[in-house]
PDB file of all heavy atoms in Angstrom:
ATOM      1  N   CYS X  89     -44.854 148.065 198.675  1.00 94.00           N
ATOM      2  CA  CYS X  89     -45.189 147.932 200.099  1.00 94.00           C
ATOM      3  C   CYS X  89     -45.967 149.148 200.613  1.00 94.00           C
ATOM      4  O   CYS X  89     -46.863 149.023 201.442  1.00 94.00           O
ATOM      5  CB  CYS X  89     -43.912 147.782 200.925  1.00 94.00           C
ATOM      6  SG  CYS X  89     -42.647 146.727 200.189  1.00 94.00           S
ATOM      7  N   HIS X  93     -48.802 149.654 203.598  1.00 95.00           N
ATOM      8  CA  HIS X  93     -48.116 150.003 204.853  1.00 95.00           C
ATOM      9  C   HIS X  93     -47.846 151.502 204.883  1.00 95.00           C
ATOM     10  O   HIS X  93     -46.700 151.952 204.860  1.00 95.00           O
ATOM     11  CB  HIS X  93     -46.828 149.197 204.993  1.00 95.00           C
ATOM     12  CG  HIS X  93     -47.067 147.736 205.137  1.00 95.00           C
ATOM     13  ND1 HIS X  93     -47.513 147.174 206.320  1.00 95.00           N
ATOM     14  CD2 HIS X  93     -46.949 146.718 204.262  1.00 95.00           C
ATOM     15  CE1 HIS X  93     -47.650 145.861 206.151  1.00 95.00           C
ATOM     16  NE2 HIS X  93     -47.320 145.557 204.914  1.00 95.00           N
ATOM     17  N   GLU X  96     -45.641 152.931 207.950  1.00 95.00           N
ATOM     18  CA  GLU X  96     -44.204 152.725 207.845  1.00 95.00           C
ATOM     19  C   GLU X  96     -43.622 153.549 206.696  1.00 95.00           C
ATOM     20  O   GLU X  96     -42.505 154.031 206.783  1.00 95.00           O
ATOM     21  CB  GLU X  96     -43.869 151.242 207.653  1.00 95.00           C
ATOM     22  CG  GLU X  96     -44.082 150.397 208.899  1.00 95.00           C
ATOM     23  CD  GLU X  96     -45.552 150.101 209.160  1.00 95.00           C
ATOM     24  OE1 GLU X  96     -46.373 150.261 208.234  1.00 95.00           O
ATOM     25  OE2 GLU X  96     -45.883 149.714 210.296  1.00 95.00           O
ATOM     26  N   ALA X  97     -44.374 153.691 205.611  1.00 95.00           N
ATOM     27  CA  ALA X  97     -43.894 154.501 204.494  1.00 95.00           C
ATOM     28  C   ALA X  97     -43.769 155.959 204.925  1.00 95.00           C
ATOM     29  O   ALA X  97     -42.814 156.647 204.556  1.00 95.00           O
ATOM     30  CB  ALA X  97     -44.838 154.371 203.301  1.00 95.00           C
ATOM     31  N   HIS X 111     -32.189 156.365 206.931  1.00 97.00           N
ATOM     32  CA  HIS X 111     -32.152 155.261 205.968  1.00 97.00           C
ATOM     33  C   HIS X 111     -32.785 155.644 204.640  1.00 97.00           C
ATOM     34  O   HIS X 111     -32.349 155.208 203.585  1.00 97.00           O
ATOM     35  CB  HIS X 111     -32.821 154.014 206.564  1.00 97.00           C
ATOM     36  CG  HIS X 111     -32.011 153.399 207.650  1.00 97.00           C
ATOM     37  ND1 HIS X 111     -32.521 153.015 208.857  1.00 97.00           N
ATOM     38  CD2 HIS X 111     -30.677 153.128 207.719  1.00 97.00           C
ATOM     39  CE1 HIS X 111     -31.554 152.521 209.615  1.00 97.00           C
ATOM     40  NE2 HIS X 111     -30.434 152.582 208.951  1.00 97.00           N
ATOM     41  N   LEU X 116     -32.464 153.299 201.165  1.00 96.00           N
ATOM     42  CA  LEU X 116     -32.795 151.907 201.517  1.00 96.00           C
ATOM     43  C   LEU X 116     -34.241 151.578 201.143  1.00 96.00           C
ATOM     44  O   LEU X 116     -35.144 152.368 201.395  1.00 96.00           O
ATOM     45  CB  LEU X 116     -32.617 151.681 203.022  1.00 96.00           C
ATOM     46  CG  LEU X 116     -31.365 150.897 203.441  1.00 96.00           C
ATOM     47  CD1 LEU X 116     -30.151 151.793 203.284  1.00 96.00           C
ATOM     48  CD2 LEU X 116     -31.495 150.395 204.850  1.00 96.00           C
ATOM     49  N   THR X 117     -34.458 150.413 200.575  1.00 96.00           N
ATOM     50  CA  THR X 117     -35.814 149.962 200.293  1.00 96.00           C
ATOM     51  C   THR X 117     -36.282 149.067 201.438  1.00 96.00           C
ATOM     52  O   THR X 117     -35.473 148.578 202.227  1.00 96.00           O
ATOM     53  CB  THR X 117     -35.875 149.155 198.987  1.00 96.00           C
ATOM     54  OG1 THR X 117     -35.085 147.979 199.148  1.00 96.00           O
ATOM     55  CG2 THR X 117     -35.356 149.973 197.816  1.00 96.00           C
ATOM     56  N   CYS X 118     -37.592 148.857 201.496  1.00 97.00           N
ATOM     57  CA  CYS X 118     -38.183 148.042 202.566  1.00 97.00           C
ATOM     58  C   CYS X 118     -37.509 146.667 202.656  1.00 97.00           C
ATOM     59  O   CYS X 118     -37.152 146.200 203.739  1.00 97.00           O
ATOM     60  CB  CYS X 118     -39.675 147.838 202.322  1.00 97.00           C
ATOM     61  SG  CYS X 118     -40.596 149.346 201.914  1.00 97.00           S
ATOM     62  N   CYS X 121     -34.152 145.575 204.466  1.00 97.00           N
ATOM     63  CA  CYS X 121     -34.172 145.206 205.885  1.00 97.00           C
ATOM     64  C   CYS X 121     -35.117 144.033 206.125  1.00 97.00           C
ATOM     65  O   CYS X 121     -34.798 143.107 206.862  1.00 97.00           O
ATOM     66  CB  CYS X 121     -34.610 146.394 206.736  1.00 97.00           C
ATOM     67  SG  CYS X 121     -33.373 147.696 206.828  1.00 97.00           S
ATOM     68  N   HIS X 122     -36.296 144.079 205.521  1.00 97.00           N
ATOM     69  CA  HIS X 122     -37.260 142.980 205.663  1.00 97.00           C
ATOM     70  C   HIS X 122     -36.887 141.907 204.639  1.00 97.00           C
ATOM     71  O   HIS X 122     -37.476 141.813 203.567  1.00 97.00           O
ATOM     72  CB  HIS X 122     -38.688 143.493 205.457  1.00 97.00           C
ATOM     73  CG  HIS X 122     -39.102 144.457 206.525  1.00 97.00           C
ATOM     74  ND1 HIS X 122     -39.629 144.044 207.723  1.00 97.00           N
ATOM     75  CD2 HIS X 122     -39.031 145.802 206.591  1.00 97.00           C
ATOM     76  CE1 HIS X 122     -39.880 145.103 208.488  1.00 97.00           C
ATOM     77  NE2 HIS X 122     -39.518 146.187 207.817  1.00 97.00           N
ATOM     78  N   SER X 143     -49.858 147.033 213.263  1.00 86.00           N
ATOM     79  CA  SER X 143     -49.107 148.250 213.591  1.00 86.00           C
ATOM     80  C   SER X 143     -47.914 147.922 214.489  1.00 86.00           C
ATOM     81  O   SER X 143     -47.174 148.795 214.908  1.00 86.00           O
ATOM     82  CB  SER X 143     -50.022 149.264 214.284  1.00 86.00           C
ATOM     83  OG  SER X 143     -50.570 148.684 215.439  1.00 86.00           O
ATOM     84  N   LYS X 144     -47.750 146.656 214.788  1.00 89.00           N
ATOM     85  CA  LYS X 144     -46.656 146.221 215.651  1.00 89.00           C
ATOM     86  C   LYS X 144     -46.178 144.892 215.089  1.00 89.00           C
ATOM     87  O   LYS X 144     -47.002 144.093 214.641  1.00 89.00           O
ATOM     88  CB  LYS X 144     -47.207 146.027 217.072  1.00 89.00           C
ATOM     89  CG  LYS X 144     -46.166 145.990 218.145  1.00 89.00           C
ATOM     90  CD  LYS X 144     -46.849 146.026 219.513  1.00 89.00           C
ATOM     91  CE  LYS X 144     -45.847 145.953 220.642  1.00 89.00           C
ATOM     92  NZ  LYS X 144     -45.166 144.653 220.720  1.00 89.00           N
ATOM     93  N   ALA X 145     -44.865 144.677 215.090  1.00 91.00           N
ATOM     94  CA  ALA X 145     -44.349 143.428 214.530  1.00 91.00           C
ATOM     95  C   ALA X 145     -44.812 142.236 215.358  1.00 91.00           C
ATOM     96  O   ALA X 145     -44.718 142.253 216.585  1.00 91.00           O
ATOM     97  CB  ALA X 145     -42.834 143.481 214.471  1.00 91.00           C
ATOM     98  N   VAL X 150     -36.901 140.959 209.942  1.00 97.00           N
ATOM     99  CA  VAL X 150     -35.660 141.724 209.801  1.00 97.00           C
ATOM    100  C   VAL X 150     -34.535 140.939 210.460  1.00 97.00           C
ATOM    101  O   VAL X 150     -34.598 140.648 211.652  1.00 97.00           O
ATOM    102  CB  VAL X 150     -35.778 143.115 210.473  1.00 97.00           C
ATOM    103  CG1 VAL X 150     -34.466 143.888 210.337  1.00 97.00           C
ATOM    104  CG2 VAL X 150     -36.933 143.909 209.882  1.00 97.00           C
ATOM    105  N   THR X 202     -32.466 144.343 216.754  1.00 97.00           N
ATOM    106  CA  THR X 202     -33.913 144.529 216.635  1.00 97.00           C
ATOM    107  C   THR X 202     -34.651 144.373 217.972  1.00 97.00           C
ATOM    108  O   THR X 202     -35.857 144.597 218.035  1.00 97.00           O
ATOM    109  CB  THR X 202     -34.493 143.540 215.596  1.00 97.00           C
ATOM    110  OG1 THR X 202     -33.948 142.252 215.849  1.00 97.00           O
ATOM    111  CG2 THR X 202     -34.136 143.967 214.186  1.00 97.00           C
ATOM    112  N   HIS X 205     -34.129 148.456 218.338  1.00 98.00           N
ATOM    113  CA  HIS X 205     -34.313 149.350 217.191  1.00 98.00           C
ATOM    114  C   HIS X 205     -35.495 148.938 216.336  1.00 98.00           C
ATOM    115  O   HIS X 205     -35.484 147.890 215.711  1.00 98.00           O
ATOM    116  CB  HIS X 205     -33.068 149.343 216.291  1.00 98.00           C
ATOM    117  CG  HIS X 205     -31.892 150.037 216.881  1.00 98.00           C
ATOM    118  ND1 HIS X 205     -31.670 151.381 216.717  1.00 98.00           N
ATOM    119  CD2 HIS X 205     -30.869 149.575 217.640  1.00 98.00           C
ATOM    120  CE1 HIS X 205     -30.544 151.721 217.348  1.00 98.00           C
ATOM    121  NE2 HIS X 205     -30.037 150.648 217.919  1.00 98.00           N
ATOM    122  N   ASN X 206     -36.535 149.776 216.315  1.00 97.00           N
ATOM    123  CA  ASN X 206     -37.575 149.665 215.304  1.00 97.00           C
ATOM    124  C   ASN X 206     -37.396 150.874 214.409  1.00 97.00           C
ATOM    125  O   ASN X 206     -37.572 152.013 214.835  1.00 97.00           O
ATOM    126  CB  ASN X 206     -38.973 149.658 215.928  1.00 97.00           C
ATOM    127  CG  ASN X 206     -40.066 149.548 214.864  1.00 97.00           C
ATOM    128  OD1 ASN X 206     -39.883 149.968 213.718  1.00 97.00           O
ATOM    129  ND2 ASN X 206     -41.199 148.998 215.239  1.00 97.00           N
ATOM    130  N   ASN X 207     -37.035 150.620 213.179  1.00 97.00           N
ATOM    131  CA  ASN X 207     -36.758 151.669 212.204  1.00 97.00           C
ATOM    132  C   ASN X 207     -37.859 152.729 212.136  1.00 97.00           C
ATOM    133  O   ASN X 207     -37.599 153.875 211.816  1.00 97.00           O
ATOM    134  CB  ASN X 207     -36.600 150.998 210.832  1.00 97.00           C
ATOM    135  CG  ASN X 207     -36.103 151.929 209.766  1.00 97.00           C
ATOM    136  OD1 ASN X 207     -35.106 152.607 209.959  1.00 97.00           O
ATOM    137  ND2 ASN X 207     -36.781 151.971 208.645  1.00 97.00           N
ATOM    138  N   HIS X 208     -39.086 152.350 212.436  1.00 97.00           N
ATOM    139  CA  HIS X 208     -40.226 153.241 212.231  1.00 97.00           C
ATOM    140  C   HIS X 208     -40.670 153.948 213.508  1.00 97.00           C
ATOM    141  O   HIS X 208     -41.672 154.643 213.520  1.00 97.00           O
ATOM    142  CB  HIS X 208     -41.401 152.450 211.642  1.00 97.00           C
ATOM    143  CG  HIS X 208     -40.965 151.546 210.532  1.00 97.00           C
ATOM    144  ND1 HIS X 208     -40.633 152.013 209.289  1.00 97.00           N
ATOM    145  CD2 HIS X 208     -40.749 150.203 210.491  1.00 97.00           C
ATOM    146  CE1 HIS X 208     -40.239 150.996 208.520  1.00 97.00           C
ATOM    147  NE2 HIS X 208     -40.306 149.889 209.232  1.00 97.00           N
TER     148      HIS X 208
HETATM  149  C1  HEC Z  12     -33.406 150.083 208.087  1.00 68.37           C
HETATM  150  C2  HEC Z  12     -34.218 148.888 208.073  1.00 68.37           C
HETATM  151  C3  HEC Z  12     -35.692 148.981 207.708  1.00 68.37           C
HETATM  152  C4  HEC Z  12     -36.266 149.531 206.586  1.00 68.37           C
HETATM  153  C5  HEC Z  12     -35.573 150.235 205.431  1.00 68.37           C
HETATM  154  C6  HEC Z  12     -37.688 149.295 206.696  1.00 68.37           C
HETATM  155  N1  HEC Z  12     -37.972 148.641 207.865  1.00 68.37           N
HETATM  156 FE1  HEC Z  12     -39.804 148.037 208.516  1.00 68.37          FE
HETATM  157  N2  HEC Z  12     -39.016 147.513 210.301  1.00 68.37           N
HETATM  158  C7  HEC Z  12     -37.658 147.479 210.595  1.00 68.37           C
HETATM  159  C8  HEC Z  12     -37.478 147.037 211.957  1.00 68.37           C
HETATM  160  C9  HEC Z  12     -36.145 146.854 212.660  1.00 68.37           C
HETATM  161  C10 HEC Z  12     -38.771 146.782 212.482  1.00 68.37           C
HETATM  162  C11 HEC Z  12     -39.128 146.243 213.875  1.00 68.37           C
HETATM  163  C12 HEC Z  12     -39.169 144.753 213.669  1.00 68.37           C
HETATM  164  C13 HEC Z  12     -39.166 143.920 214.879  1.00 68.37           C
HETATM  165  O1  HEC Z  12     -39.537 144.379 215.968  1.00 68.37           O
HETATM  166  O2  HEC Z  12     -38.797 142.718 214.712  1.00 68.37           O
HETATM  167  C14 HEC Z  12     -39.711 147.078 211.408  1.00 68.37           C
HETATM  168  C15 HEC Z  12     -41.091 146.932 211.503  1.00 68.37           C
HETATM  169  C16 HEC Z  12     -41.954 146.948 210.411  1.00 68.37           C
HETATM  170  C17 HEC Z  12     -43.347 146.527 210.425  1.00 68.37           C
HETATM  171  C18 HEC Z  12     -44.114 145.992 211.622  1.00 68.37           C
HETATM  172  C19 HEC Z  12     -44.985 147.077 212.191  1.00 68.37           C
HETATM  173  C20 HEC Z  12     -44.208 148.191 212.845  1.00 68.37           C
HETATM  174  O3  HEC Z  12     -44.365 149.347 212.382  1.00 68.37           O
HETATM  175  O4  HEC Z  12     -43.462 147.958 213.797  1.00 68.37           O
HETATM  176  C21 HEC Z  12     -43.827 146.695 209.154  1.00 68.37           C
HETATM  177  C22 HEC Z  12     -45.232 146.396 208.665  1.00 68.37           C
HETATM  178  C23 HEC Z  12     -42.745 147.247 208.353  1.00 68.37           C
HETATM  179  N3  HEC Z  12     -41.626 147.392 209.152  1.00 68.37           N
HETATM  180  C24 HEC Z  12     -42.850 147.592 207.023  1.00 68.37           C
HETATM  181  C25 HEC Z  12     -41.885 148.302 206.324  1.00 68.37           C
HETATM  182  C26 HEC Z  12     -42.107 148.914 205.033  1.00 68.37           C
HETATM  183  C27 HEC Z  12     -43.393 148.853 204.247  1.00 68.37           C
HETATM  184  C28 HEC Z  12     -40.927 149.524 204.678  1.00 68.37           C
HETATM  185  C29 HEC Z  12     -40.634 150.365 203.453  1.00 68.37           C
HETATM  186  C30 HEC Z  12     -41.540 151.500 203.229  1.00 68.37           C
HETATM  187  C31 HEC Z  12     -39.962 149.274 205.752  1.00 68.37           C
HETATM  188  N4  HEC Z  12     -40.598 148.554 206.721  1.00 68.37           N
HETATM  189  C32 HEC Z  12     -38.636 149.691 205.753  1.00 68.37           C
HETATM  190  C33 HEC Z  12     -36.634 147.811 209.747  1.00 68.37           C
HETATM  191  C34 HEC Z  12     -36.776 148.427 208.516  1.00 68.37           C
END
Side-chain angles (χ1 to χ4, degrees):
C89 320
H93 295 284
E96 288 76 17
H111 289 133
L116 255 74
T117 63
C118 312
C121 289
H122 295 275
S143 58
K144 198 171 178 292
V150 179
T202 46
H205 288 272
N206 180 332
N207 189 51
H208 315 286

